[in-house]
Amino acid sequence: MEFVLNNKRYSIVDHELFINYLIVDSYFRSNRSKYDYDISFEFINPLLDKENVEFKDILEGTKVLEELIEKEQIGFIPAGLKIEEIDENHFRIIYQDIAFDGVNVGEAIPLLIALNSLVTYRPIVTLVQIEEELNYFLEKFRSYSR
């Protein structure tokens, strides 16, 4: 999948995007978030219902995600988002008055999915709370790789 943001083309392997949705879904569904949100992605449920997950299941979920994106029923890039490339592997992600510096390539897509989920969440989440939650998300995400 390719997308253009700030006149720059980015790409992600489709099944990697699906796996990033799984990561964000798990974060909110498993109550790892700082605050309590009812955020989950219904298109992931069939995978979660399986006792054993195989790669073909990921690919099937990926096809569903692609269809949802094509129909504009789901997205991961909120309007007004800016991404600045700091170096080859790090970004500065800016949304309105909040910025996340030093976001690496592997963190960027899950962060964008979480950001978009909070921006579109109802009842409305304040920017201050979004910033707190996403800093907490990054902290948790980074602790998994240690």
Side-chain angles (χ1 to χ4, degrees):
M1 165 185 224
E2 291 188 342
F3 59 96
V4 176
L5 188 61
N6 305 87
N7 295 320
K8 182 156 174 120
R9 184 176 303 274
Y10 297 92
S11 66
I12 182 169
V13 178
D14 294 344
H15 71 270
E16 289 178 0
L17 180 60
F18 181 79
I19 290 168
N20 281 295
Y21 269 96
L22 281 170
I23 291 168
V24 175
D25 185 87
S26 174
Y27 173 78
F28 287 112
R29 194 182 296 248
S30 301
N31 298 317
R32 292 186 188 114
S33 57
K34 183 171 185 166
Y35 298 104
D36 187 28
Y37 307 101
D38 183 23
I39 293 176
S40 61
F41 305 106
E42 288 183 26
F43 67 92
I44 289 175
N45 290 342
L47 188 73
L48 299 178
D49 294 338
K50 292 185 178 264
E51 193 168 311
N52 295 313
V53 176
E54 298 177 19
F55 189 66
K56 68 177 180 140
D57 300 318
I58 301 282
L59 294 177
E60 287 173 16
T62 300
K63 287 180 185 174
V64 172
L65 176 57
E66 288 172 349
E67 291 171 8
L68 292 171
I69 290 171
E70 284 177 18
K71 295 177 183 175
E72 297 182 0
Q73 293 176 343
I74 194 166
F76 61 96
I77 303 173
L81 180 80
K82 292 181 183 175
I83 296 180
E84 297 173 356
E85 200 168 329
I86 296 172
D87 59 37
E88 190 174 300
N89 296 312
H90 295 90
F91 302 96
R92 181 170 201 240
I93 296 176
I94 305 161
Y95 178 75
Q96 293 189 14
D97 293 340
I98 56 178
F100 303 94
D101 292 316
V103 177
N104 73 38
V105 172
E107 299 165 343
I109 298 297
L111 182 70
L112 294 179
I113 294 168
L115 170 62
N116 194 61
S117 298
L118 293 167
V119 166
T120 59
Y121 187 76
R122 299 293 178 254
I124 294 172
V125 180
T126 66
L127 279 178
V128 170
Q129 193 170 336
I130 288 172
E131 183 175 30
E132 288 176 12
E133 187 64 57
L134 293 179
N135 280 319
Y136 188 76
F137 174 82
L138 281 173
E139 180 182 310
K140 291 284 187 190
F141 191 84
R142 289 171 176 159
S143 72
Y144 297 135
S145 63
R146 292 182 198 163

